[in-house]
Short mmCIF file of all heavy atoms in Angstrom, two decimals:
data_model
loop_
_atom_site.label_atom_id
_atom_site.label_comp_id
_atom_site.label_asym_id
_atom_site.label_seq_id
_atom_site.Cartn_x
_atom_site.Cartn_y
_atom_site.Cartn_z
N SER A 86 -2.09 -21.65 15.42
CA SER A 86 -3.31 -22.48 15.62
C SER A 86 -4.37 -22.00 14.62
O SER A 86 -5.04 -22.90 14.10
CB SER A 86 -3.81 -22.22 16.98
OG SER A 86 -4.30 -20.84 17.13
N ARG A 87 -4.37 -20.66 14.12
CA ARG A 87 -5.31 -20.23 13.08
C ARG A 87 -4.96 -20.80 11.76
O ARG A 87 -5.85 -21.20 11.02
CB ARG A 87 -5.35 -18.72 13.15
CG ARG A 87 -6.15 -18.10 14.30
CD ARG A 87 -6.85 -19.00 15.28
NE ARG A 87 -7.57 -18.44 16.22
CZ ARG A 87 -7.56 -18.71 17.57
NH1 ARG A 87 -6.59 -19.51 17.91
NH2 ARG A 87 -8.27 -18.11 18.41
N ILE A 88 -3.61 -20.71 11.33
CA ILE A 88 -3.18 -21.23 10.11
C ILE A 88 -3.50 -22.72 10.05
O ILE A 88 -4.04 -23.20 8.90
CB ILE A 88 -1.68 -21.12 9.84
CG1 ILE A 88 -1.29 -19.54 9.83
CG2 ILE A 88 -1.16 -21.82 8.68
CD1 ILE A 88 -1.80 -18.82 8.73
N GLU A 89 -3.31 -23.51 11.14
CA GLU A 89 -3.67 -24.92 11.21
C GLU A 89 -5.10 -25.09 10.92
O GLU A 89 -5.50 -26.21 10.31
CB GLU A 89 -3.35 -25.55 12.59
CG GLU A 89 -3.40 -27.07 12.60
CD GLU A 89 -2.34 -27.72 11.68
OE1 GLU A 89 -1.21 -27.10 11.53
OE2 GLU A 89 -2.71 -28.80 11.13
N LYS A 90 -5.95 -24.25 11.26
CA LYS A 90 -7.40 -24.35 11.02
C LYS A 90 -7.85 -23.66 9.62
O LYS A 90 -8.94 -23.46 9.34
CB LYS A 90 -8.13 -23.58 12.03
CG LYS A 90 -8.14 -24.30 13.51
CD LYS A 90 -8.79 -23.47 14.49
CE LYS A 90 -8.58 -24.08 15.86
NZ LYS A 90 -9.24 -23.26 17.04
N ARG A 91 -6.81 -23.24 8.80
CA ARG A 91 -6.95 -22.83 7.41
C ARG A 91 -7.62 -21.37 7.60
O ARG A 91 -8.44 -21.02 6.80
CB ARG A 91 -7.80 -23.77 6.60
CG ARG A 91 -7.05 -25.01 6.40
CD ARG A 91 -7.75 -25.83 5.12
NE ARG A 91 -7.56 -25.11 3.89
CZ ARG A 91 -6.50 -24.97 3.21
NH1 ARG A 91 -5.38 -25.64 3.62
NH2 ARG A 91 -6.53 -24.37 2.03
N ARG A 92 -7.23 -20.68 8.52
CA ARG A 92 -7.58 -19.26 8.64
C ARG A 92 -6.49 -18.31 8.53
O ARG A 92 -5.39 -18.52 9.08
CB ARG A 92 -8.35 -18.99 10.04
CG ARG A 92 -9.56 -19.93 10.32
CD ARG A 92 -10.12 -19.61 11.71
NE ARG A 92 -10.73 -18.36 11.77
CZ ARG A 92 -12.00 -18.05 11.42
NH1 ARG A 92 -12.71 -18.93 10.89
NH2 ARG A 92 -12.42 -16.90 11.66
N TYR A 93 -6.65 -17.35 7.85
CA TYR A 93 -5.60 -16.21 7.44
C TYR A 93 -5.62 -15.30 8.75
O TYR A 93 -6.64 -15.21 9.48
CB TYR A 93 -5.87 -15.36 6.29
CG TYR A 93 -5.91 -16.20 4.97
CD1 TYR A 93 -7.20 -16.88 4.69
CD2 TYR A 93 -4.98 -16.23 4.18
CE1 TYR A 93 -7.22 -17.87 3.52
CE2 TYR A 93 -5.01 -17.02 3.00
CZ TYR A 93 -6.16 -17.73 2.76
OH TYR A 93 -6.22 -18.46 1.50
N VAL A 94 -4.35 -14.71 9.09
CA VAL A 94 -4.37 -13.83 10.14
C VAL A 94 -3.93 -12.40 9.76
O VAL A 94 -2.90 -12.41 9.01
CB VAL A 94 -3.36 -14.43 11.23
CG1 VAL A 94 -3.13 -13.34 12.44
CG2 VAL A 94 -3.61 -15.77 11.75
N TYR A 95 -4.61 -11.41 10.11
CA TYR A 95 -4.33 -10.10 9.77
C TYR A 95 -4.12 -9.31 11.10
O TYR A 95 -4.92 -9.39 12.14
CB TYR A 95 -5.55 -9.44 9.09
CG TYR A 95 -5.51 -7.94 8.86
CD1 TYR A 95 -4.73 -7.38 7.72
CD2 TYR A 95 -6.21 -7.05 9.65
CE1 TYR A 95 -4.73 -6.15 7.43
CE2 TYR A 95 -6.06 -5.71 9.34
CZ TYR A 95 -5.49 -5.26 8.33
OH TYR A 95 -5.37 -3.85 8.02
N LEU A 96 -3.04 -8.52 11.16
CA LEU A 96 -2.72 -7.88 12.42
C LEU A 96 -1.90 -6.60 12.16
O LEU A 96 -1.41 -6.37 11.01
CB LEU A 96 -1.89 -8.72 13.42
CG LEU A 96 -0.79 -9.54 12.88
CD1 LEU A 96 0.48 -8.62 12.69
CD2 LEU A 96 -0.33 -10.62 13.99
N PHE A 97 -1.77 -5.74 13.25
CA PHE A 97 -0.89 -4.55 13.11
C PHE A 97 0.31 -4.95 14.02
O PHE A 97 0.22 -5.53 14.95
CB PHE A 97 -1.67 -3.33 13.62
CG PHE A 97 -2.41 -2.68 12.64
CD1 PHE A 97 -3.79 -3.19 12.27
CD2 PHE A 97 -2.07 -1.56 11.94
CE1 PHE A 97 -4.54 -2.61 11.34
CE2 PHE A 97 -2.82 -0.85 11.01
CZ PHE A 97 -4.07 -1.52 10.62
N LEU A 98 1.45 -4.32 13.62
CA LEU A 98 2.72 -4.48 14.29
C LEU A 98 3.62 -3.21 14.15
O LEU A 98 3.30 -2.30 13.16
CB LEU A 98 3.45 -5.72 13.97
CG LEU A 98 3.50 -6.23 12.56
CD1 LEU A 98 4.28 -5.34 11.74
CD2 LEU A 98 4.02 -7.61 12.46
N ASN A 99 4.66 -3.14 14.84
CA ASN A 99 5.57 -2.04 14.83
C ASN A 99 6.65 -2.50 13.78
O ASN A 99 7.55 -3.37 14.13
CB ASN A 99 6.24 -1.77 16.18
CG ASN A 99 7.07 -0.54 16.13
OD1 ASN A 99 7.53 -0.08 15.06
ND2 ASN A 99 7.43 -0.10 17.38
N GLU A 100 6.69 -1.84 12.68
CA GLU A 100 7.61 -2.35 11.60
C GLU A 100 9.09 -1.92 11.90
O GLU A 100 10.01 -2.25 11.08
CB GLU A 100 7.27 -1.60 10.27
CG GLU A 100 6.03 -2.17 9.66
CD GLU A 100 5.76 -1.81 8.18
OE1 GLU A 100 6.30 -0.88 7.73
OE2 GLU A 100 4.97 -2.63 7.55
N LYS A 101 9.35 -1.23 12.96
CA LYS A 101 10.71 -1.05 13.36
C LYS A 101 11.45 -2.29 13.59
O LYS A 101 12.71 -2.43 13.28
CB LYS A 101 10.74 -0.20 14.65
CG LYS A 101 12.12 0.15 15.13
CD LYS A 101 12.07 1.02 16.52
CE LYS A 101 13.50 1.37 17.10
NZ LYS A 101 13.40 2.11 18.34
N PHE A 102 10.63 -3.37 13.96
CA PHE A 102 11.38 -4.62 14.17
C PHE A 102 11.20 -5.66 13.04
O PHE A 102 11.58 -6.78 13.18
CB PHE A 102 10.68 -5.26 15.54
CG PHE A 102 10.83 -4.35 16.59
CD1 PHE A 102 9.68 -3.55 17.09
CD2 PHE A 102 11.93 -4.25 17.38
CE1 PHE A 102 9.74 -2.61 18.06
CE2 PHE A 102 12.07 -3.32 18.50
CZ PHE A 102 11.11 -2.54 18.85
N ILE A 103 10.67 -5.24 11.96
CA ILE A 103 10.49 -6.12 10.82
C ILE A 103 11.35 -5.77 9.73
O ILE A 103 11.59 -4.74 9.31
CB ILE A 103 8.84 -5.99 10.24
CG1 ILE A 103 7.88 -6.05 11.43
CG2 ILE A 103 8.57 -6.85 9.11
CD1 ILE A 103 7.84 -7.40 12.09
N PRO A 104 12.01 -6.89 9.27
CA PRO A 104 13.06 -6.59 8.20
C PRO A 104 12.46 -6.12 6.84
O PRO A 104 11.20 -6.38 6.60
CB PRO A 104 13.70 -8.02 7.97
CG PRO A 104 12.63 -9.00 8.54
CD PRO A 104 11.88 -8.34 9.61
N ASN A 105 13.37 -5.49 6.11
CA ASN A 105 12.90 -5.06 4.72
C ASN A 105 11.85 -4.06 4.70
O ASN A 105 10.89 -4.09 3.93
CB ASN A 105 12.63 -6.14 3.83
CG ASN A 105 12.66 -5.80 2.38
OD1 ASN A 105 13.43 -4.88 1.82
ND2 ASN A 105 11.93 -6.57 1.49
N ARG A 106 11.76 -3.15 5.68
CA ARG A 106 10.75 -1.98 5.78
C ARG A 106 11.54 -0.76 5.88
O ARG A 106 12.71 -0.53 6.31
CB ARG A 106 9.85 -2.18 6.97
CG ARG A 106 8.96 -3.39 6.98
CD ARG A 106 7.96 -3.46 5.82
NE ARG A 106 7.01 -4.38 6.06
CZ ARG A 106 7.03 -5.68 5.66
NH1 ARG A 106 8.13 -6.11 5.10
NH2 ARG A 106 6.06 -6.55 5.86
N GLU A 107 10.99 0.51 5.43
CA GLU A 107 11.63 1.73 5.59
C GLU A 107 11.91 2.04 6.97
O GLU A 107 12.92 2.64 7.31
CB GLU A 107 10.61 2.78 4.96
CG GLU A 107 10.47 2.83 3.49
CD GLU A 107 11.64 3.40 2.89
OE1 GLU A 107 12.51 4.03 3.56
OE2 GLU A 107 11.87 3.13 1.54
N ALA A 108 11.07 1.51 7.94
CA ALA A 108 11.24 1.81 9.31
C ALA A 108 12.23 0.93 10.15
O ALA A 108 12.53 1.22 11.20
CB ALA A 108 9.84 1.79 10.12
N THR A 109 12.65 -0.18 9.44
CA THR A 109 13.43 -1.18 10.10
C THR A 109 14.75 -0.65 10.74
O THR A 109 15.51 0.10 10.22
CB THR A 109 13.86 -2.24 9.03
OG1 THR A 109 12.74 -2.70 8.31
CG2 THR A 109 14.65 -3.33 9.78
N GLY A 110 14.57 -0.78 12.14
CA GLY A 110 15.74 -0.40 13.06
C GLY A 110 15.86 1.14 13.20
O GLY A 110 16.75 1.58 13.84
N ASN A 111 14.98 1.93 12.56
CA ASN A 111 15.11 3.29 12.50
C ASN A 111 14.10 4.02 13.44
O ASN A 111 14.44 4.95 14.20
CB ASN A 111 14.99 3.89 11.17
CG ASN A 111 16.21 3.39 10.31
OD1 ASN A 111 17.30 3.27 10.67
ND2 ASN A 111 15.98 2.97 9.05
N TYR A 112 12.82 3.66 13.26
CA TYR A 112 11.80 4.46 13.96
C TYR A 112 10.54 3.56 14.06
O TYR A 112 10.40 2.66 13.34
CB TYR A 112 11.46 5.72 13.21
CG TYR A 112 11.01 5.65 11.84
CD1 TYR A 112 9.70 5.40 11.52
CD2 TYR A 112 11.89 5.78 10.72
CE1 TYR A 112 9.32 5.24 10.05
CE2 TYR A 112 11.67 5.65 9.45
CZ TYR A 112 10.31 5.38 9.10
OH TYR A 112 10.01 5.33 7.76
N ASP A 113 9.69 3.97 15.05
CA ASP A 113 8.46 3.26 15.22
C ASP A 113 7.46 3.58 14.10
O ASP A 113 7.24 4.79 13.75
CB ASP A 113 7.80 3.69 16.61
CG ASP A 113 8.63 3.23 17.82
OD1 ASP A 113 9.22 2.15 17.78
OD2 ASP A 113 8.88 4.13 18.74
N TYR A 114 6.85 2.53 13.65
CA TYR A 114 5.76 2.66 12.58
C TYR A 114 4.83 1.64 12.55
O TYR A 114 5.14 0.47 12.48
CB TYR A 114 6.60 2.85 11.26
CG TYR A 114 5.58 3.19 10.10
CD1 TYR A 114 5.05 4.48 9.98
CD2 TYR A 114 5.12 2.18 9.11
CE1 TYR A 114 4.12 4.79 8.99
CE2 TYR A 114 4.28 2.57 8.11
CZ TYR A 114 3.76 3.79 8.06
OH TYR A 114 2.91 4.15 7.05
N THR A 115 3.59 1.89 12.90
CA THR A 115 2.59 0.91 13.00
C THR A 115 1.97 0.55 11.66
O THR A 115 1.44 1.58 10.95
CB THR A 115 1.39 1.33 13.95
OG1 THR A 115 1.93 1.69 15.20
CG2 THR A 115 0.35 0.32 14.20
N HIS A 116 1.86 -0.67 11.24
CA HIS A 116 1.44 -1.02 9.94
C HIS A 116 0.84 -2.45 9.92
O HIS A 116 1.02 -3.11 10.99
CB HIS A 116 2.47 -0.86 8.89
CG HIS A 116 2.04 -0.48 7.54
ND1 HIS A 116 1.97 -1.36 6.47
CD2 HIS A 116 1.47 0.59 6.99
CE1 HIS A 116 1.33 -0.71 5.35
NE2 HIS A 116 1.15 0.49 5.75
N ASP A 117 -0.01 -2.74 8.87
CA ASP A 117 -0.77 -3.98 8.88
C ASP A 117 0.07 -5.03 8.21
O ASP A 117 0.98 -4.68 7.30
CB ASP A 117 -2.14 -3.85 8.35
CG ASP A 117 -2.09 -3.14 7.01
OD1 ASP A 117 -1.07 -2.62 6.59
OD2 ASP A 117 -3.25 -3.01 6.48
N LEU A 118 -0.25 -6.31 8.28
CA LEU A 118 0.38 -7.42 7.72
C LEU A 118 -0.61 -8.56 7.63
O LEU A 118 -1.52 -8.91 8.40
CB LEU A 118 1.57 -7.78 8.62
CG LEU A 118 2.41 -8.98 8.11
CD1 LEU A 118 3.32 -8.55 6.98
CD2 LEU A 118 3.37 -9.44 9.27
#
Side-chain angles (χ1 to χ4, degrees):
S86 68
R87 286 355 183 230
I88 296 293
E89 191 63 35
K90 294 176 183 177
R91 300 193 61 78
R92 298 179 69 86
Y93 300 80
V94 177
Y95 173 84
L96 51 71
F97 277 79
L98 40 67
N99 186 343
E100 288 194 338
K101 180 179 181 179
F102 304 99
I103 305 302
N105 197 27
R106 299 291 196 273
E107 288 288 344
T109 305
N111 297 318
Y112 54 88
D113 295 316
Y114 186 69
T115 304
H116 211 250
D117 52 352
L118 183 74

